[in-house]
Amino acid sequence: MKSKAFKSVTTQAALMAAWRQVYANGKSSRSSRTSDEVDEYALKIDKEIRRLQRQLRSDKYVFQPAVGKKIPKRNPGDFRPLVIAPIETRIIQRSVLDYLLANANLKPYASTPYSFGGVKKRDDESLAAVPAAIRAALDAKAEGMEFVRCADIQSFFTRIRKSTVKKIVSDAVPDPDFLALFDECIKVELSNLSELGVGANRFPREDLGVAQGSSLSPLMGNILLYDFDRTMNEGACRCIRYIDDILILGPSEKEVSRTFRYAKKYLDGLGMDFSKEKSSFGVQNFKDGFVFLGIEMINGLIRPDGQSVGKFKEKIHSIVSDSSKQMLGSEEKFKPEFALVPTMLRISGTVHGWGKHYRFCNDSNIFVNLDTHVDNEVRKLIGAYTDARSRAVISGRRLLGVSSLRDLPTEPFQWPKVSH
């Protein structure tokens, strides 16, 4: 007989709610393969959820290995060790996360005034995630904290000890069946470990490290650093944390420097350290400006930083360039998703998503200039469409994105032969 907590996590309703979040994340992924994968799973979701529940409750479900992927960083040779778990693992992980976030004993760990990453937005809050962190920084400034120091915890997820977090979770949820499932959810087994070559040891192994890419990992980081967040905000300074990004604010350079040294010493006790690359700017201030979480705050202006702006421009350019090449190519190789209307929708979705993320910024000139950039790219796209129409290699209907009946798959019935 399975326990109450285990049953709560493995109800069809809980698993379906978790699936909806996995699906939403998959569709927003930059990887077309991930998007296609969740679309395919969605075709049989009711059946799969019933099977998943049945196997979990009968102890017949076997967690499949994940895949390790090196995501390149700006520095040559450096990478982010991403762990991509199978869809069903992600569904179970998400269901477990939803249960933990609702657990009264863990709420202090999951929701603090100073930590903003991996925290579920409360119903009474208008802001969450990056906007909430920036709002907290501005509130600290209003209290007279003009001086800041930005820092980043190096290889954060791979330095989290599972056993430390598991002890806190087991105290909050003393349920053997649930804890056994939680243990399976946070294990990391890679099917391609031998293929990762140099740097394979940067992926989680045994007790050290959690999967970067798992929905449970930000919560585990927040649990581990709960005392850090509380202690760092007891003195004259404020310490705002978003996963592994940290902003220390204080009334003077001296106080900020003192608090930074204390933070470094505290993290050392956890086997962690600040990244030299992202923590080397020293003490800065609001007047001369600084960047935190991709947001530049300088002398009254709040705006996306140069890197964020550059990525947006490159994204729009890439969408237009890829579609233009397809339109001016051959009929046989033309893919419907690169037609004019679907491409326009992708551009619009990118603009909408980017604008929503930076909606709290107050530098309107940035948005005006970026709109001009988008206008120019759209003109290029329409120009490519016009050229393609004049060449008449691909039909105008296909270039627009309207399917042809003759191109759709058919399964015609056979006309019966009359037997004599």
Side-chain angles (χ1 to χ4, degrees), residues 256-280:
V256 170
S257 296
R258 181 192 64 78
T259 303
F260 177 80
R261 290 193 297 272
Y262 181 79
K264 188 174 175 63
K265 182 178 179 181
Y266 193 109
L267 291 173
D268 184 62
L270 296 174
M272 298 180 178
D273 195 5
F274 286 129
S275 162
K276 291 181 174 59
E277 177 195 357
K278 293 187 178 181
S279 310
S280 62

Side-chain angles (χ1 to χ4, degrees), residues 106-117:
L106 285 175
K107 279 191 176 179
Y109 297 93
S111 180
T112 76
Y114 314 111
S115 173
F116 299 92

Side-chain angles (χ1 to χ4, degrees), residues 296-355:
E296 182 181 24
M297 289 175 271
I298 178 169
N299 201 24
L301 292 176
I302 307 163
R303 60 194 182 195
D305 71 342
Q307 185 179 356
S308 301
V309 170
K311 285 183 177 179
F312 174 77
K313 287 182 175 181
E314 178 56 35
K315 175 66 174 177
I316 298 297
H317 175 76
S318 177
I319 292 173
V320 170
S321 177
D322 290 346
S323 291
S324 297
K325 288 176 183 176
Q326 283 273 324
M327 288 181 184
L328 297 171
S330 65
E331 174 90 24
E332 298 77 23
K333 295 182 178 180
F334 183 76
K335 297 179 180 178
E337 60 263 34
F338 294 104
L340 182 65
V341 173
T343 302
M344 288 290 198
L345 291 174
R346 277 201 304 282
I347 293 172
S348 181
T350 301
V351 171
H352 183 270
W354 200 87

Side-chain angles (χ1 to χ4, degrees), residues 200-219:
N201 60 349
R202 290 181 54 185
F203 285 84
R205 58 195 185 280
E206 298 180 355
D207 185 46
L208 186 61
V210 296
Q212 189 167 356
S214 166
S215 59
L216 282 165
S217 295
L219 175 62

